[in-house]
Amino acid sequence: MGNEIDPTDVNSILNSIIRKKVIIIDDDPLVLKTIREYLADEFDVAVARSGGIAYRYLEQHHIDLILIDFEMPGEKGDSVLTNIRKLPYAASAPAIFLTGTADAITVAKILKTKPQGYLLKPTSKEKLLEKVHEVMGNSL
């Protein structure tokens, strides 16, 4: 009896081994903190305040999902995603854009990069998780 394994312990161990990895790329520290908190229960989350920081991280780390701000100072999100697609650890990772602008020109620019989705900021935890689950499918 003392050698029995609690199924919740097994699930917890498996979850920690196979947790999906998400990177959030956004220049706003509050957005990074908020989105990270929204995802932390289900995912391993990395954050980057610019494309340059993201590139350095992604040169050495596999990622399962990219959440990226479209409007950042310097290099815009569409350019960052195009460059990320050239990195072996992130080339096939799905991407979701986060944007505070919903005008037709911005949306057209976002869609040119062929992301798997986009969300308007600010977004709720429920909407974010719904979109993340939709994009990542049933592999969660």
Side-chain angles (χ1 to χ4, degrees):
M1 242 200 216
N3 292 335
E4 289 182 21
I5 298 174
D6 183 344
T8 57
D9 290 342
V10 172
N11 287 338
S12 176
I13 292 167
L14 286 174
N15 188 35
S16 69
I17 293 170
I18 60 173
R19 284 170 62 106
K20 299 289 185 182
K21 293 165 184 55
V22 176
I23 188 168
I24 309 162
I25 307 164
D26 198 304
D27 61 300
D28 184 331
L30 182 59
V31 170
L32 289 174
K33 181 181 186 287
T34 302
I35 301 288
R36 179 183 218 162
E37 287 174 0
Y38 287 175
L39 299 175
D41 288 343
E42 294 184 50
F43 304 95
D44 286 336
V45 182
V47 296
R49 290 188 64 182
S50 69
I53 293 168
Y55 304 146
R56 287 190 293 280
Y57 179 83
L58 294 170
E59 285 172 352
Q60 299 178 24
H61 297 90
H62 169 79
I63 204 75
D64 297 300
L65 178 67
I66 303 159
L67 294 174
I68 185 168
D69 183 18
F70 186 77
E71 293 291 334
M72 294 187 285
E75 190 176 16
K76 301 289 184 218
D78 54 346
S79 175
V80 172
L81 183 58
T82 298
N83 289 326
I84 285 173
R85 294 284 182 231
K86 299 173 187 172
L87 300 172
Y89 290 127
S92 62
I96 300 171
F97 271 103
L98 305 169
T99 183
T101 309
D103 65 84
I105 293 171
T106 300
V107 171
K109 287 180 183 176
I110 288 171
L111 295 177
K112 276 186 180 180
T113 64
K114 299 181 182 163
Q116 283 62 47
Y118 72 93
L119 290 168
L120 291 176
K121 295 190 294 186
T123 188
S124 68
K125 179 178 182 178
E126 293 75 24
K127 283 184 183 179
L128 178 68
L129 288 172
E130 181 181 317
K131 179 58 81 173
V132 167
H133 286 225
E134 173 191 316
V135 167
M136 296 189 74
N138 294 324
S139 63
L140 297 175

